[in-house]
Amino acid sequence: MSAPKVLVVGPNGAGKPTVGELLAERLECVFWDAGADIVAAQGQIIEDILVIPGEAHLWALEKAAVATALTEHEGTLARGGSAVLDTDTGALLAGQRIVHLPTDTEEEAKCTGLNAARPRPAVHP
């Protein structure tokens, strides 16, 4: 298999699943949210993984999910910005098409406020 057509990254609340799905529709390919894979494998939502076992563990899971997706997925891929901050992952992403969705603190708070329910993406096929 070849690498994903597009990797969509950005902070929480930036709209990665929404943009990733729209790109997949436009490019006539499958959308894969690596975060959904992490949630399914861990049996916890991302916010809970951040608490226990913690941020370092989540980053390791994200790193592994991106590495897997780069070899097994040909569509669009959405993943949080932290995975791409890792040096090893950055090397894997060299030459890939990446769309970074910026946001600001105010917008993130609207989308991910402490009491706000966030949409949960479906696990990729």
Side-chain angles (χ1 to χ4, degrees):
M1 264 194 170
S2 62
K5 293 178 190 235
V6 180
L7 176 66
V8 181
V9 300
N12 288 341
K16 295 176 296 290
T18 300
V19 172
E21 288 174 353
L22 290 170
L23 280 171
E25 182 179 314
R26 183 67 160 237
L27 296 171
E28 298 179 350
C29 63
V30 176
F31 169 71
W32 181 358
D33 186 337
D37 280 0
I38 292 170
V39 168
Q42 298 298 305
Q44 292 179 284
I45 61 173
I46 298 295
E47 293 81 359
D48 289 347
I49 296 170
L50 278 169
V51 176
I52 299 173
E55 185 176 25
H57 182 69
L58 176 61
W59 278 41
L61 294 171
E62 288 182 334
K63 180 179 175 178
V66 169
T68 298
L70 288 175
T71 60
E72 297 180 3
H73 181 66
E74 295 178 332
T76 64
L77 169 69
R79 188 56 249 138
S82 61
V84 300
L85 298 176
D86 178 83
T87 304
D88 295 332
T89 303
L92 290 173
L93 296 175
Q96 301 294 321
R97 291 184 189 115
I98 299 174
V99 174
H100 177 257
L101 303 178
T103 188
D104 58 30
T105 305
E106 183 178 327
E107 190 62 30
E108 284 183 55
K110 286 180 192 174
C111 295
T112 64
L114 293 175
N115 293 321
R118 295 179 58 206
R120 301 287 177 227
V123 176
H124 75 87

PDB file of all heavy atoms in Angstrom, residues 9-11 55 58-59 62-63 79-86 89:
ATOM      1  N   VAL A   9      -3.837  17.505  10.476  1.00  0.00           N
ATOM      2  CA  VAL A   9      -3.401  17.642  11.865  1.00  0.00           C
ATOM      3  C   VAL A   9      -3.859  18.986  12.413  1.00  0.00           C
ATOM      4  O   VAL A   9      -4.181  19.901  11.668  1.00  0.00           O
ATOM      5  CB  VAL A   9      -1.866  17.525  12.003  1.00  0.00           C
ATOM      6  CG1 VAL A   9      -1.377  16.176  11.507  1.00  0.00           C
ATOM      7  CG2 VAL A   9      -1.152  18.653  11.283  1.00  0.00           C
ATOM      8  N   GLY A  10      -3.853  19.076  13.734  1.00  0.00           N
ATOM      9  CA  GLY A  10      -4.205  20.319  14.395  1.00  0.00           C
ATOM     10  C   GLY A  10      -4.606  20.058  15.823  1.00  0.00           C
ATOM     11  O   GLY A  10      -4.768  18.908  16.227  1.00  0.00           O
ATOM     12  N   PRO A  11      -4.776  21.103  16.599  1.00  0.00           N
ATOM     13  CA  PRO A  11      -5.135  20.961  18.004  1.00  0.00           C
ATOM     14  C   PRO A  11      -6.591  20.523  18.174  1.00  0.00           C
ATOM     15  O   PRO A  11      -7.375  20.518  17.217  1.00  0.00           O
ATOM     16  CB  PRO A  11      -4.911  22.362  18.572  1.00  0.00           C
ATOM     17  CG  PRO A  11      -5.055  23.267  17.405  1.00  0.00           C
ATOM     18  CD  PRO A  11      -4.584  22.493  16.204  1.00  0.00           C
ATOM     19  N   GLU A  55      -0.250  11.876  29.458  1.00  0.00           N
ATOM     20  CA  GLU A  55       0.071  12.465  28.161  1.00  0.00           C
ATOM     21  C   GLU A  55       1.185  11.713  27.423  1.00  0.00           C
ATOM     22  O   GLU A  55       1.098  11.501  26.219  1.00  0.00           O
ATOM     23  CB  GLU A  55       0.466  13.930  28.347  1.00  0.00           C
ATOM     24  CG  GLU A  55       0.696  14.658  27.048  1.00  0.00           C
ATOM     25  CD  GLU A  55       0.992  16.142  27.248  1.00  0.00           C
ATOM     26  OE1 GLU A  55       1.480  16.527  28.321  1.00  0.00           O
ATOM     27  OE2 GLU A  55       0.734  16.899  26.304  1.00  0.00           O
ATOM     28  N   LEU A  58      -0.282   8.741  25.756  1.00  0.00           N
ATOM     29  CA  LEU A  58      -1.091   9.129  24.600  1.00  0.00           C
ATOM     30  C   LEU A  58      -0.195   9.472  23.420  1.00  0.00           C
ATOM     31  O   LEU A  58      -0.462   9.054  22.292  1.00  0.00           O
ATOM     32  CB  LEU A  58      -2.004  10.307  24.929  1.00  0.00           C
ATOM     33  CG  LEU A  58      -2.823  10.843  23.754  1.00  0.00           C
ATOM     34  CD1 LEU A  58      -3.748   9.773  23.187  1.00  0.00           C
ATOM     35  CD2 LEU A  58      -3.625  12.065  24.176  1.00  0.00           C
ATOM     36  N   TRP A  59       0.877  10.199  23.648  1.00  0.00           N
ATOM     37  CA  TRP A  59       1.791  10.547  22.561  1.00  0.00           C
ATOM     38  C   TRP A  59       2.378   9.291  21.932  1.00  0.00           C
ATOM     39  O   TRP A  59       2.524   9.207  20.718  1.00  0.00           O
ATOM     40  CB  TRP A  59       2.893  11.456  23.075  1.00  0.00           C
ATOM     41  CG  TRP A  59       2.487  12.899  23.173  1.00  0.00           C
ATOM     42  CD1 TRP A  59       1.290  13.386  23.621  1.00  0.00           C
ATOM     43  CD2 TRP A  59       3.262  14.024  22.823  1.00  0.00           C
ATOM     44  NE1 TRP A  59       1.299  14.754  23.576  1.00  0.00           N
ATOM     45  CE2 TRP A  59       2.496  15.172  23.089  1.00  0.00           C
ATOM     46  CE3 TRP A  59       4.544  14.179  22.334  1.00  0.00           C
ATOM     47  CZ2 TRP A  59       2.964  16.461  22.867  1.00  0.00           C
ATOM     48  CZ3 TRP A  59       5.011  15.462  22.104  1.00  0.00           C
ATOM     49  CH2 TRP A  59       4.220  16.591  22.369  1.00  0.00           C
ATOM     50  N   GLU A  62      -0.303   7.780  19.772  1.00  0.00           N
ATOM     51  CA  GLU A  62      -0.472   8.567  18.552  1.00  0.00           C
ATOM     52  C   GLU A  62       0.665   8.294  17.569  1.00  0.00           C
ATOM     53  O   GLU A  62       0.439   8.141  16.373  1.00  0.00           O
ATOM     54  CB  GLU A  62      -0.531  10.058  18.877  1.00  0.00           C
ATOM     55  CG  GLU A  62      -1.812  10.481  19.554  1.00  0.00           C
ATOM     56  CD  GLU A  62      -1.861  11.975  19.830  1.00  0.00           C
ATOM     57  OE1 GLU A  62      -0.791  12.614  19.958  1.00  0.00           O
ATOM     58  OE2 GLU A  62      -2.971  12.499  19.914  1.00  0.00           O
ATOM     59  N   LYS A  63       1.866   8.234  18.076  1.00  0.00           N
ATOM     60  CA  LYS A  63       3.037   7.965  17.240  1.00  0.00           C
ATOM     61  C   LYS A  63       2.876   6.625  16.529  1.00  0.00           C
ATOM     62  O   LYS A  63       3.093   6.509  15.325  1.00  0.00           O
ATOM     63  CB  LYS A  63       4.291   7.975  18.110  1.00  0.00           C
ATOM     64  CG  LYS A  63       5.567   7.707  17.372  1.00  0.00           C
ATOM     65  CD  LYS A  63       6.741   7.773  18.362  1.00  0.00           C
ATOM     66  CE  LYS A  63       8.032   7.389  17.710  1.00  0.00           C
ATOM     67  NZ  LYS A  63       9.164   7.506  18.636  1.00  0.00           N
ATOM     68  N   ARG A  79      -5.265  13.296  12.607  1.00  0.00           N
ATOM     69  CA  ARG A  79      -4.582  13.016  13.859  1.00  0.00           C
ATOM     70  C   ARG A  79      -4.216  14.311  14.545  1.00  0.00           C
ATOM     71  O   ARG A  79      -3.963  15.306  13.907  1.00  0.00           O
ATOM     72  CB  ARG A  79      -3.318  12.196  13.613  1.00  0.00           C
ATOM     73  CG  ARG A  79      -2.645  11.708  14.874  1.00  0.00           C
ATOM     74  CD  ARG A  79      -3.589  10.887  15.792  1.00  0.00           C
ATOM     75  NE  ARG A  79      -3.871  11.636  17.003  1.00  0.00           N
ATOM     76  CZ  ARG A  79      -5.050  11.719  17.578  1.00  0.00           C
ATOM     77  NH1 ARG A  79      -6.106  11.118  17.124  1.00  0.00           N
ATOM     78  NH2 ARG A  79      -5.208  12.400  18.673  1.00  0.00           N
ATOM     79  N   GLY A  80      -4.169  14.246  15.861  1.00  0.00           N
ATOM     80  CA  GLY A  80      -3.832  15.411  16.663  1.00  0.00           C
ATOM     81  C   GLY A  80      -2.430  15.919  16.402  1.00  0.00           C
ATOM     82  O   GLY A  80      -1.570  15.183  15.933  1.00  0.00           O
ATOM     83  N   GLY A  81      -2.214  17.157  16.712  1.00  0.00           N
ATOM     84  CA  GLY A  81      -0.941  17.795  16.451  1.00  0.00           C
ATOM     85  C   GLY A  81       0.226  17.226  17.227  1.00  0.00           C
ATOM     86  O   GLY A  81       1.367  17.321  16.801  1.00  0.00           O
ATOM     87  N   SER A  82      -0.029  16.615  18.374  1.00  0.00           N
ATOM     88  CA  SER A  82       1.084  16.149  19.201  1.00  0.00           C
ATOM     89  C   SER A  82       1.896  15.061  18.526  1.00  0.00           C
ATOM     90  O   SER A  82       3.115  15.000  18.695  1.00  0.00           O
ATOM     91  CB  SER A  82       0.569  15.665  20.557  1.00  0.00           C
ATOM     92  OG  SER A  82      -0.322  14.583  20.406  1.00  0.00           O
ATOM     93  N   ALA A  83       1.281  14.197  17.762  1.00  0.00           N
ATOM     94  CA  ALA A  83       2.028  13.123  17.104  1.00  0.00           C
ATOM     95  C   ALA A  83       3.062  13.673  16.144  1.00  0.00           C
ATOM     96  O   ALA A  83       4.169  13.146  16.044  1.00  0.00           O
ATOM     97  CB  ALA A  83       1.080  12.178  16.368  1.00  0.00           C
ATOM     98  N   VAL A  84       2.741  14.732  15.454  1.00  0.00           N
ATOM     99  CA  VAL A  84       3.669  15.276  14.472  1.00  0.00           C
ATOM    100  C   VAL A  84       4.796  16.076  15.115  1.00  0.00           C
ATOM    101  O   VAL A  84       5.757  16.432  14.448  1.00  0.00           O
ATOM    102  CB  VAL A  84       2.954  16.112  13.387  1.00  0.00           C
ATOM    103  CG1 VAL A  84       1.944  15.267  12.637  1.00  0.00           C
ATOM    104  CG2 VAL A  84       2.305  17.343  13.988  1.00  0.00           C
ATOM    105  N   LEU A  85       4.700  16.345  16.409  1.00  0.00           N
ATOM    106  CA  LEU A  85       5.768  17.044  17.113  1.00  0.00           C
ATOM    107  C   LEU A  85       6.906  16.103  17.488  1.00  0.00           C
ATOM    108  O   LEU A  85       8.001  16.550  17.819  1.00  0.00           O
ATOM    109  CB  LEU A  85       5.220  17.726  18.376  1.00  0.00           C
ATOM    110  CG  LEU A  85       4.170  18.801  18.137  1.00  0.00           C
ATOM    111  CD1 LEU A  85       3.644  19.328  19.463  1.00  0.00           C
ATOM    112  CD2 LEU A  85       4.739  19.934  17.299  1.00  0.00           C
ATOM    113  N   ASP A  86       6.653  14.803  17.449  1.00  0.00           N
ATOM    114  CA  ASP A  86       7.669  13.802  17.763  1.00  0.00           C
ATOM    115  C   ASP A  86       8.699  13.756  16.638  1.00  0.00           C
ATOM    116  O   ASP A  86       8.343  13.718  15.458  1.00  0.00           O
ATOM    117  CB  ASP A  86       6.985  12.441  17.932  1.00  0.00           C
ATOM    118  CG  ASP A  86       7.973  11.345  18.206  1.00  0.00           C
ATOM    119  OD1 ASP A  86       8.370  11.184  19.378  1.00  0.00           O
ATOM    120  OD2 ASP A  86       8.365  10.643  17.244  1.00  0.00           O
ATOM    121  N   THR A  89       8.374  10.669  14.320  1.00  0.00           N
ATOM    122  CA  THR A  89       7.182  10.779  13.484  1.00  0.00           C
ATOM    123  C   THR A  89       7.385  11.847  12.420  1.00  0.00           C
ATOM    124  O   THR A  89       6.990  11.675  11.271  1.00  0.00           O
ATOM    125  CB  THR A  89       5.939  11.093  14.332  1.00  0.00           C
ATOM    126  OG1 THR A  89       5.799  10.077  15.327  1.00  0.00           O
ATOM    127  CG2 THR A  89       4.688  11.143  13.486  1.00  0.00           C
TER     128      THR A  89
END
